[in-house]
Amino acid sequence: MTEQDEPACPQAVLIGGYAGTGKTSIARALARQTGWALLDKDTLCGPLVETALAVLSLPPGDRDSDAYRTVVRPAEYRALLDTSLDNVRIGRSVIAVAPFIGEFADEQWLSGTRSAVEASGGWLRIVWVHGDADSMLTYLRRRGAARDRSKLTDWDGYLRHLNLGLVPAAGPYELVDNSLGTGSPATHANALRRRLVSAGS
């Protein structure tokens, strides 16, 4: 990243997408190219989530139970957002990566988060990473994470609950198609970096 690429004020880049879309790979590539802080929800909160699930007598890979969705998940996202805002307040751009499925579909959440970022002295940038069903299945099989086991066990059933045409409920936002054959994460990240820097200059 060159000096002229530095944004006029810090950016909070939230990168979301369904499991297996490759959003984390793109986020990592973008962080390497920009030097901005990278916050991955699973890295930041994973050990605490597994501890909380154990206390609730749930398996460490559970991401589908009511207890996870109502008790654990809100705390994960609160920690991710609060840490992002801490970076913005000290003038550091940050890239936060998580599914953000319910959040990006909620216009009120997007508006409130935008206001919080702006009050902290930064700009909110929303990025939605799309992948087709075959690409998602390939990525999930490759990574072999415990949290994906239930999805892979009943892939067709899992797909029936997804809206593969989903985009954020309110703009502006950036859309990245990371389906197999569309380019590498580094290529997508470079194109995304150029758009973010151009809009933030």
Side-chain angles (χ1 to χ4, degrees):
M1 182 174 180
T2 61
E3 185 174 344
Q4 61 264 29
D5 286 339
E6 291 289 351
C9 71
Q11 299 192 39
V13 184
L14 307 188
I15 300 182
Y18 286 118
T21 54
K23 58 188 177 293
T24 300
S25 297
I26 291 173
R28 287 174 179 161
L30 182 63
R32 281 193 293 269
Q33 293 176 14
T34 59
W36 298 348
L38 173 64
L39 299 176
D40 183 330
K41 178 181 72 67
D42 292 325
T43 303
L44 182 67
C45 303
L48 293 175
V49 168
E50 292 184 2
T51 300
L53 291 172
V55 169
L56 294 169
S57 300
L58 294 169
D62 173 50
R63 297 298 184 273
D64 300 309
S65 68
D66 288 340
Y68 168 76
R69 292 180 182 278
T70 60
V71 177
V72 180
R73 189 182 186 282
E76 282 187 280
Y77 280 81
R78 178 65 183 270
L80 182 63
L81 183 58
D82 285 352
T83 308
S84 299
L85 291 174
D86 275 348
N87 278 272
V88 170
R89 290 187 189 106
I90 63 171
R92 185 167 180 79
S93 292
V94 61
I95 302 162
V97 58
F100 287 115
I101 296 164
E103 289 72 19
F104 283 4
D106 184 342
E107 189 170 351
Q108 185 174 357
W109 186 91
L110 288 168
S111 177
T113 301
R114 191 175 304 279
S115 295
V117 171
E118 290 175 355
S120 299
W123 290 330
L124 177 67
R125 310 305 300 277
I126 299 296
V127 179
W128 180 254
V129 180
H130 167 78
D132 61 36
D134 289 342
S135 300
M136 292 164 57
L137 179 58
T138 298
Y139 287 134
L140 291 183
R141 283 175 171 166
R142 283 177 182 170
R143 77 182 184 188
R147 63 184 181 274
D148 299 326
R149 193 168 296 129
S150 64
K151 302 179 184 68
L152 293 173
T153 300
D154 182 16
W155 181 248
D156 289 339
Y158 170 67
L159 282 181
R160 284 195 293 272
H161 291 88
L162 303 188
N163 173 11
L164 295 182
L166 181 69
V167 294
Y173 60 85
E174 299 290 342
L175 182 63
V176 178
D177 184 357
N178 192 41
S179 300
L180 291 172
T182 61
S184 69
T187 299
H188 290 310
N190 187 52
L192 179 59
R193 177 186 65 84
R194 293 178 182 276
R195 296 199 298 272
L196 294 174
V197 169
S198 175
S201 60

